[in-house]
Amino acid sequence: MATYETLLVEQRDAVTLITLNRPQALNALNNQVLGELVAAMTAYDADDSQHCAVLTGSEKAFAAGADIKEMAGQSFAEMFSGNYFAGWERFTATRKPIIAAVAGFALGGGCELAMMCDFILAADTAKFGQPEIKLGVGPGMGGSQRLTRAIGKAKAMEMCLTGRMMGAEEAERAGLVSRVIPAAELLDEALKTAATIAGMAPLAALANKEMVNAAFETGLAQGIQFERRLFHALFGTADQKEGMAAFVEKRPGNWTGK
Ligand code: CAA
């Protein structure tokens, strides 16, 4: 398996655990982290033995944002011609499930990266925010769009305009995170949840991710049509036959990913 300077990557059975590892900068996301994360996700997607990923940071910070020191001196021409941050679309192109396990700060690009994952499990220490306005800018990795879709205009607007942080309990109430977990148990719970997902029929997992994501891209009628067609398509898989036979025979499914 490849090794990285800013990430730790390990495989635990069918689960890939990726840990952001730039402690000296609270896991700030620079170009190197982006390149390594995209490489790690591409390898995960291509590895037939891997079926769910967990992305986490440290106890203190999931990630404290895009790297301010890397951006500070850039001109408009450099940002625009280099299409700064466009590379994150290669992260969101990952087809297999990714869980964000967030403890401590998830600010700016850190909050945006967590939202690029399929769902967020938050430690009770997690703090989410889009503080870019305090730097004289705004979100640039999707925060104004994904946060607004996740928690609605009122809270998203307040957070972007004031830069205030939202704690884990409020984030759960608002629908930003799926569950809050005591910090000491976060990683175990995330790995357990990932193992549950990894134990499902792999093609069904890909299809479920595409279906839910379609809700963000389409109108209701089109989204329901997309869901129904994918549902029909799954009847072309061996795992649908196996899954339904296993239910009738009262035994667990034995998946082949075909
Ligand atoms: N970029 C670069 N370096 C960062 C960083 C960032 N986003 N966040 C923290 N660091 C660095 C600090 O500069 C510091 O480095 P030095 O020791 O070399 O000075 C180190 O990490 C530790 O940070 P602090 O000493 O500040 O730690 P703290 O506990 O006192 O404060 C914090 C923690 C409140 C998270 C504070 O670090 C902070 O406010 N960070 C910036 C948060 C932020 O503004 N994020 C948005 C970035 S812009 C963005 O993300 C754009 C976008 O939409 C993609």
Side-chain angles (χ1 to χ4, degrees):
M1 213 178 9
T3 54
Y4 303 96
E5 281 178 27
T6 64
L7 307 177
L8 301 171
V9 181
E10 52 187 295
Q11 294 185 345
R12 305 217 181 161
D13 298 322
V15 172
T16 299
L17 172 63
I18 301 176
T19 307
L20 297 163
N21 188 32
R22 268 194 94 201
Q24 72 284 9
L26 299 184
N27 292 331
L29 306 166
N30 62 8
N31 263 318
Q32 184 181 11
V33 179
L34 166 60
E36 293 191 348
L37 261 181
V38 167
M41 283 300 163
T42 305
Y44 157 61
D45 241 357
D47 186 335
D48 287 342
S49 73
Q50 298 301 291
H51 297 299
C52 192
V54 172
L55 177 63
T56 196
S58 69
E59 242 173 68
K60 179 166 181 189
F62 176 74
D67 192 311
I68 299 167
K69 292 167 188 166
E70 186 179 78
M71 289 183 290
Q74 299 285 309
S75 66
F76 165 75
E78 286 162 337
M79 295 297 263
F80 187 54
S81 66
N83 210 4
Y84 202 78
F85 288 153
W88 288 101
E89 282 166 22
R90 291 183 289 146
F91 178 91
T92 55
T94 309
R95 298 190 63 207
K96 292 178 184 171
I98 311 167
I99 302 171
V102 174
F105 297 111
L107 301 178
C111 184
E112 292 167 301
L113 175 58
M115 292 190 290
M116 286 181 212
C117 298
D118 297 314
F119 60 93
I120 302 173
L121 294 175
D124 49 13
T125 58
K127 291 180 208 62
F128 299 90
Q130 296 293 158
E132 291 90 340
I133 194 163
K134 295 182 185 171
L135 301 168
V137 292
M141 283 167 51
S144 65
Q145 305 304 298
R146 289 197 178 93
L147 189 64
T148 307
R149 281 166 165 80
I151 68 175
K153 180 182 168 186
K155 269 188 189 288
M157 189 68 94
E158 188 205 342
M159 289 186 65
C160 289
L161 286 177
T162 65
R164 84 165 169 93
M165 292 186 217
M166 182 186 269
E169 298 295 339
E170 184 182 1
E172 186 186 22
R173 273 201 311 278
L176 179 59
V177 311
S178 65
R179 276 189 288 141
V180 180
I181 295 155
E185 294 159 32
L186 176 70
L187 192 58
D188 280 352
E189 187 57 33
L191 289 168
K192 206 161 79 181
T193 306
T196 300
I197 294 169
M200 303 295 174
L203 296 177
L206 293 188
N208 275 270
K209 175 168 171 166
E210 286 190 11
M211 286 175 183
V212 175
N213 281 336
F216 288 94
E217 308 287 349
T218 60
L220 182 61
Q222 209 187 345
I224 286 174
Q225 170 91 337
F226 177 79
E227 176 196 86
R228 197 185 306 124
R229 289 289 175 255
L230 257 183
F231 177 73
H232 296 161
L234 288 167
F235 282 72
T237 66
D239 282 344
Q240 173 270 325
K241 299 288 173 287
E242 166 62 12
M244 293 194 179
F247 175 81
V248 173
E249 291 160 19
K250 300 189 188 300
R251 60 172 176 82
N254 182 17
W255 313 120
T256 56
K258 300 234 163 71

